[in-house]
Amino acid sequence: MKYKNLWFVLGEKRGRGGSALLRGEQLAAIVTPLLKHYDVSVDICKGVQKPISSAVIVNKTALLDHGLDGLHTLRANGNRIFVDPVDGPMAVLDWKLADGVITSSIGQDGYFRQQFAHLPVVYVPHHADTRLTSFRCESEAWKCAYVGDPLNGMYLRELEQAGLLSIIDATNRNGAWMTELPQFSFHYAVRPPEKRAGLFKPFTKGAVAAECNALILAERRDIEAVAHLGENYPFLIDAEEGIQSAEAMLRWAMCPEAESARHAAALVMERLRQSTSAACIREIFRKDLIESGLLLN
């Protein structure tokens, strides 16, 4: 291996950072055991000054903080640069400064392979928060929750008032909200159209639900969700038909007559859990980034 150090470069100004910051921190932890077998150290830094003559994976938060100047600094310091933009703005980048791209959504992966054919592109699915393994649902009661930032959900207050779902504000990074998850066997992942259009949003809500042993209700026009769940997944709605569509689906999903549909959905969610698991991500790193020579040589 040419490079014996791998740095995950994160932003330093954006204290909240959301799931992108968490992705960088936890990817480092996930791949550290793997990289030890190759005698490669794994470190995290906030800012672009520390990595020298190393392989670096530049997180969305670092791109937003440092932009082109940050990439120029990393390049001047002799680093091999892979960019992990998640759903960040593409305009801050000069792709001639990157040696490769790590994509986190199926839509983004297709975009980069088509638009930047000269760049190595490796799809590393956006995993669920690794702390969630301790909060899997074992309840037989069919209860639904929206897990995330309440500002990003559609019809939340109306459905909550109707007694069809509970809202779990998951914006606090300390994870205290996770203790509520084991009682919910359904998660709700419907966003307004303006929250979907033109963004390469990973299907993190699906990964969270799968890790929690829960099913998910998603929007039929959510291209990323359907790419993971399939067009025949039984709990897809057309939310633009109005709140009635969401209400009807939630009521049906939790009734005895939907048992076979829930069973079919559970098989889909287990496949999703496996495809976004830490073990799967380590295998992707091993095969597509390390053994391929793309990242460390």
Side-chain angles (χ1 to χ4, degrees):
M1 302 293 175
K2 178 179 178 181
Y3 299 101
K4 303 302 289 184
N5 306 95
L6 171 62
W7 290 87
F8 284 80
V9 182
L10 309 182
E12 52 194 347
K13 299 176 185 176
R14 300 173 187 275
R16 186 165 175 263
S19 60
L21 188 64
L22 194 71
R23 172 173 167 87
E25 293 171 342
Q26 293 193 352
L27 274 181
I30 288 170
V31 303
T32 292
L34 171 68
L35 270 294
K36 283 183 179 179
H37 290 291
Y38 295 90
D39 196 28
V40 174
S41 67
V42 178
D43 293 287
I44 294 173
C45 64
K46 293 189 176 182
V48 297
Q49 300 298 331
K50 286 186 178 181
I52 297 175
S53 299
S54 301
V56 299
I57 295 176
V58 185
N59 183 264
K60 165 189 171 181
T61 55
L63 295 174
L64 291 173
D65 280 359
H66 300 283
L68 285 176
D69 288 343
L71 293 182
H72 277 293
T73 298
L74 290 167
R75 173 64 68 212
N77 286 339
N79 296 297
R80 183 163 180 80
I81 302 170
F82 267 68
V83 175
D84 183 13
V86 193
D87 59 347
M90 301 296 112
V92 302
L93 299 177
D94 177 351
W95 293 104
K96 295 177 183 177
L97 293 170
D99 295 300
V101 182
I102 291 176
T103 58
S104 60
S105 67
I106 293 173
Q108 183 187 57
D109 192 68
Y111 171 82
F112 274 102
R113 291 181 188 277
Q114 182 178 36
Q115 298 296 323
F116 300 95
H118 65 287
L119 278 176
V121 178
V122 176
Y123 173 53
V124 179
H126 203 305
H127 66 282
D129 191 318
T130 55
R131 295 173 293 178
L132 290 171
T133 56
S134 300
F135 301 98
R136 290 172 61 80
C137 177
E138 303 297 342
S139 173
E140 295 183 0
W142 293 104
K143 295 173 63 178
C144 184
Y146 172 86
V147 183
D149 185 339
L151 296 176
N152 293 333
M154 192 173 186
Y155 305 134
L156 295 187
R157 298 302 174 187
E158 298 92 333
L159 294 171
E160 182 184 47
Q161 291 173 4
L164 291 172
L165 64 71
S166 299
I167 299 172
I168 299 176
D169 187 333
T171 55
N172 191 325
R173 293 188 70 224
N174 68 16
W177 49 271
M178 294 181 183
T179 60
E180 300 181 54
L181 295 175
Q183 61 182 306
F184 295 102
S185 51
F186 255 98
H187 291 192
Y188 179 86
V190 178
R191 294 178 295 174
E194 64 271 17
K195 298 289 185 178
R196 302 193 305 268
L199 298 174
F200 292 122
K201 286 284 187 185
F203 190 39
T204 49
K205 282 185 170 47
V208 167
E211 188 59 54
C212 290
N213 194 34
L215 308 182
I216 197 159
L217 189 151
E219 223 283 341
R220 191 173 297 281
R221 289 187 174 90
D222 187 331
I223 296 173
E224 190 69 20
V226 174
H228 285 277
L229 300 173
E231 293 182 356
N232 295 322
Y233 181 76
F235 302 119
L236 297 174
I237 66 166
D238 187 344
E240 293 182 26
E241 291 182 354
I243 190 174
Q244 296 82 4
S245 176
E247 288 180 336
M249 179 62 80
L250 283 170
R251 294 185 190 282
W252 175 72
M254 299 178 199
C255 73
E257 289 75 15
E259 182 177 358
S260 61
R262 291 195 296 265
H263 176 73
L267 297 177
V268 173
M269 296 303 288
E270 175 56 22
R271 288 194 295 270
L272 177 58
R273 187 194 67 78
Q274 292 179 16
S275 70
T276 57
S277 68
C280 182
I281 288 171
R282 277 192 290 270
E283 179 59 16
I284 291 170
F285 261 77
R286 184 195 66 78
K287 179 182 176 182
D288 296 337
L289 286 167
I290 300 172
E291 295 292 346
S292 68
L294 288 179
L295 183 62
L296 299 175
N297 290 330

